[in-house]
Amino acid sequence: MGLETHFNFMKKALDAAQIALDELEVPIGCIFVYKNKIIAQGSNKTNATSCGINHAEMEAIDEIIAKYPNYKEILPFADLYVTVEPCIMCASALRQLGIRRVFFGCANDRFGGNGSVLTIHSDKLNNKLDSSIYPVYPGIYAKEAVTLLRKFYLNQNEKSPNPQTKKLRQLDMENFPRLQFEKYLTKEQFVDMYGESQLDVYVGESDEIVLQRPTKIPKI
Amino acid sequence: MKESPHKIDFKDGIFDNCLQKLIKDGIGQENMNMQEVWVMEINPKDSSKVNGMLRELKNFHLLPFLKKFQKRTVESETGNSTVLDVLIGETSKLQSEEEVNALLKVDGKLRRVNVPSNYPPTKELCTEWSKIWPIVWKGNPIVQELNSIRLDIQEISENLRKISELSVSPPLKDELPIFTMVADRKGKVLTIKQDERKNHQLHHSTMLAIRDVAKLQQNDPKSYLLLDCVIYTTHEPCPMCCMALLHSRIERLVFLKDMTTGGLKFHEGYGYGIQTACTLNWKFDAYRWCGDEIPVGIVDDLAYA
């Protein structure tokens, strides 16, 4: 599976996040992929349902379990593409379901269970062998994922009965947080997925993972 | 501070011999560790000058619970006089007398002294350790926190017995005997749910209870998630359920049986302590029942409750 495929799937997750934004939900979206096909899509629905646990992943998982009675045989061969790092709850759910791999866009500094706050995906109990651990691959369309979140918080501001006039807030498209990749995956895992040419992103010397690395022009 | 109505074992966080609050860093170390510091003997009239100079070196003196000055009476042939001993800082940071003298432009005799390097957990130990160097006693934050907690032990044990009874009764359906109850701030029971993972692996009792409360409160504009609610559960919830409860802004959780895969413990299993893992946003208190046995149905210890 080439990098382009992962980018295309993450684009679909961004579409799902856009649906959440349009419905005035925190814009996070995801898709599950099995045998190269999208088997479920989820958008965050915590506001509409007044239930703090109806995250995008949970919506998609419910869809899969309703659709496929043999879901336990499917998920160990399925991948999740989600715009924001899964929270601790979803990270644990994915582990219990035995997901194969998780791709996420940007980090979730407050609740992240795939490396930001806890490392639910890779922790082993008493160092015992455990087949339920799964690798995570952050960074694809991280800026797009952050931009959606920023749009949401900007809207919130406009709707506030007492809008903050102290500083005129506008969408910041210049500054984006850099992922600290070593929190989420090893260098080897990174190279295996993204290729040697993107290693400067892993070590923090370059901004983001890109589909096409501009080839360096040799100095003459 | 008001006296707690509970009998509290501060070391293990146990209330009235039956409810143990899970605590990350106990009340602190009862053994005194020592650390070597520079102390300068100065004339008391130089104290404000020295104090000013020390303030400028604020990154240097890193033992904030130690008093800066200590009076000492010096006996000599001409009679007794008072001198001030000033705590300058760790010798590990400033290695020679020359370095200290270069920083502090006062005359005074320098000497190396060993002082306590950890804060005493109790007032009694504070008095004891202060004989070595005076310590500012500001109470113990964990002791203060435990003292401020009020628990209705009667109500808690009654609720636990209710879910226990359901858990050990002959099963009505072929599901795990894990039960979760949600009570609101007034103690009114909002829901009791059993695990139903047979057709949906994530339908743990806690997840089902949270969704049920959301449904019940759908048309109540005053309610917000599970704010102020107390959760009673037979088995320590898995990390997914613990985080679901944190997202739901609960007040407190009480469980009966430890689970290896549980998400609440700090020092066993995964050691996640999820109830305080995201304190920027929310935290809740978690208690384990440790009183007279309240039985629960049998669940594989490695299962996620």
Side-chain angles (χ1 to χ4, degrees), chain A residues 4 16 18 38 51 61-62 64 66 68 70 89 107 113 116 124 129 136 138 152-153 159 170 175 184-185 200 206-207:
Chain A
E4 195 178 350
Q18 180 65 46
I38 298 174
C51 187
I61 289 166
D62 281 350
I64 293 170
Y68 304 97
N70 63 335
M89 170 184 76
S116 290
K124 288 179 191 161
L129 276 180
V136 300
F152 174 79
Y153 289 107
K159 285 200 181 65
Q170 46 186 334
N175 307 297
Y184 311 97
L185 73 174
D200 49 345
S206 244
D207 233 13

Side-chain angles (χ1 to χ4, degrees), chain A residues 46 48-55 58-59 61-62 65 71-72 87-90 92-98 110-111 117-121 123-126 128 130 132, chain B residues 197-204 206-207 210-211 214-215 217-218 225 238-241 243-249 260-261 269-270 272 274 277-278 280-282 302 304:
Chain A
T46 47
T49 55
S50 304
C51 187
I53 65 176
N54 291 340
H55 291 180
M58 289 296 175
E59 298 294 308
I61 289 166
D62 281 350
I65 293 179
Y71 71 92
K72 287 184 186 173
C87 76
I88 291 167
M89 170 184 76
C90 293
S92 176
L94 292 162
R95 175 124 180 211
Q96 293 179 42
L97 291 165
R110 291 186 163 222
F111 304 122
V117 179
L118 295 176
T119 45
I120 301 271
H121 61 295
D123 290 331
K124 288 179 191 161
L125 206 54
N126 307 321
K128 276 197 195 122
D130 189 335
S132 68
Chain B
R197 70 183 63 189
K198 227 179 153 194
N199 292 318
H200 190 308
Q201 209 184 332
L202 303 181
H203 280 178
H204 298 186
T206 299
M207 300 296 272
I210 291 171
R211 293 222 166 87
K215 215 162 67 191
Q217 296 180 337
Q218 214 165 29
L225 305 176
C238 75
M240 169 182 73
C241 291
M243 193 59 196
L245 292 168
L246 197 83
H247 282 313
S248 302
R249 311 282 201 271
T260 303
T261 54
Y270 285 111
Y272 287 145
I274 289 172
C278 311
L280 268 182
N281 205 267
W282 192 256
L302 285 173
Y304 287 93

